[in-house]
Amino acid sequence: MIIVLVGAPGAGKGTHGKRISTKRGWPHVSSGDLLREAVASGTPLGREAERYMKAGVLVPDTIMLQWIERLLDKPEYREGIILDGFPRTVPQAKGLDEVLTRHGLAVDQVLFFDVDEGIAVSRLAKRVSCTGCGLVYNLDAKPPTSAGECDRCGGKLEVRADDRETTVHSRFVEFRGSTEPMIEYYGSTDRLARIDTTGGIDEVGKRVSAVLDGLLGIEAG
Ligand code: AMP
């Protein structure tokens, strides 16, 4: 199954991507996480992507399309994958369709996590992540046991550089300008499901499960 997760910053793509992965066994691949790792380890991709990420704007399509080609060259990802944060523009979505077609595959389902911008911005302001293992906390809903320190590895917790207010604004501008047209592109096919993100994580998780169970032909239980 090839699943694509789309949503504005703070919509919950990462949280639900990990949950789907645990439940269904498909690998969860977050383009943002892989780009941050590339920046941290100073790879050629990381060196190219860094200035765009710092500014809260999208990394150019040509770079992202090379990235997805290389990723899908790995057979393990062709068995099933949850793509979180890629594609994000119409050219990326079309490029993904082309790469998948070459492998005899297609996007099976796009899940659009629809969130109110005000709710997402206040969520991002409370999001901290571990500089060691990357575990994400929400200071209200899922706080660490001891302030500033990761429960899992003891690493230091920090607000992600691009979650600060000015950069968050640019990321929303990018979402409206580049990603919303892509949602319309998928909407013109029967692959798009809109997920209402109001309510708690479990409630939203049930809505996601209902869509995926329907796709897999599993009866609701
Ligand atoms: P995220 O963690 O998904 O919010 O991504 C963080 C940043 O990585 C974004 O603001 C972009 O600069 C970059 N990025 C992640 N995925 C993509 C993509 N598909 N296309 C372009 N830039 C991306």
Side-chain angles (χ1 to χ4, degrees):
M1 280 290 149
I2 314 281
I3 310 290
V4 166
L5 310 184
V6 189
K13 301 186 299 293
T15 302
H16 289 286
K18 287 178 198 131
R19 285 169 72 113
I20 301 168
S21 177
T22 305
K23 183 165 175 184
R24 316 270 173 180
W26 307 316
H28 168 238
V29 174
S30 153
S31 52
D33 284 352
L34 290 186
L35 287 170
R36 277 183 288 280
E37 273 171 40
V39 170
S41 44
T43 65
L45 169 67
R47 287 199 299 274
E48 277 188 290
E50 187 170 15
R51 63 196 161 108
Y52 301 104
M53 296 175 74
K54 272 197 175 147
V57 297
L58 293 181
V59 175
D61 289 338
T62 44
I63 299 177
M64 295 310 297
L65 287 168
Q66 284 167 10
W67 171 80
I68 194 69
E69 286 250 22
R70 280 198 298 269
L71 187 86
L72 293 173
D73 267 345
K74 299 180 185 155
E76 72 260 31
Y77 288 129
R78 292 189 227 134
E79 306 264 309
I81 188 169
I82 304 159
L83 281 171
D84 166 1
F86 181 92
R88 249 168 153 117
T89 65
V90 173
Q92 289 182 17
K94 290 185 173 166
L96 174 63
D97 282 345
E98 280 169 27
V99 180
L100 289 172
T101 304
R102 281 205 291 278
H103 293 296
L105 298 166
V107 170
D108 293 289
Q109 184 71 62
V110 180
L111 299 174
F112 164 39
F113 291 82
D114 197 1
V115 69
D116 172 82
E117 186 169 329
I119 294 177
V121 170
S122 66
R123 224 183 251 165
L124 290 175
K126 290 178 198 138
R127 177 161 86 174
V128 290
S129 56
C130 175
T131 50
C133 70
L135 191 65
V136 181
Y137 295 82
N138 177 294
L139 296 176
D140 283 345
K142 187 192 162 201
T145 314
S146 89
E149 198 180 291
C150 179
D151 292 347
R152 185 157 72 188
C153 75
K156 190 167 163 243
L157 301 182
E158 270 182 5
V159 174
R160 235 170 73 181
D162 63 349
D163 278 350
R164 299 196 181 113
E165 209 177 319
T166 44
T167 320
V168 164
H169 177 70
S170 315
R171 289 165 68 206
F172 271 99
V173 170
E174 285 283 39
F175 178 76
R176 283 194 293 268
S178 302
T179 308
E180 281 183 355
M182 185 196 79
I183 296 169
E184 281 169 33
Y185 166 77
Y186 281 124
S188 64
T189 67
D190 58 1
R191 298 180 284 184
L192 182 76
R194 177 189 164 275
I195 305 290
D196 172 3
T197 59
T198 52
I201 292 178
D202 288 338
E203 219 174 323
V204 177
K206 278 188 191 143
R207 293 179 197 133
V208 171
S209 286
V211 173
L212 295 179
D213 284 350
L215 186 69
L216 294 165
I218 300 170
E219 299 219 356

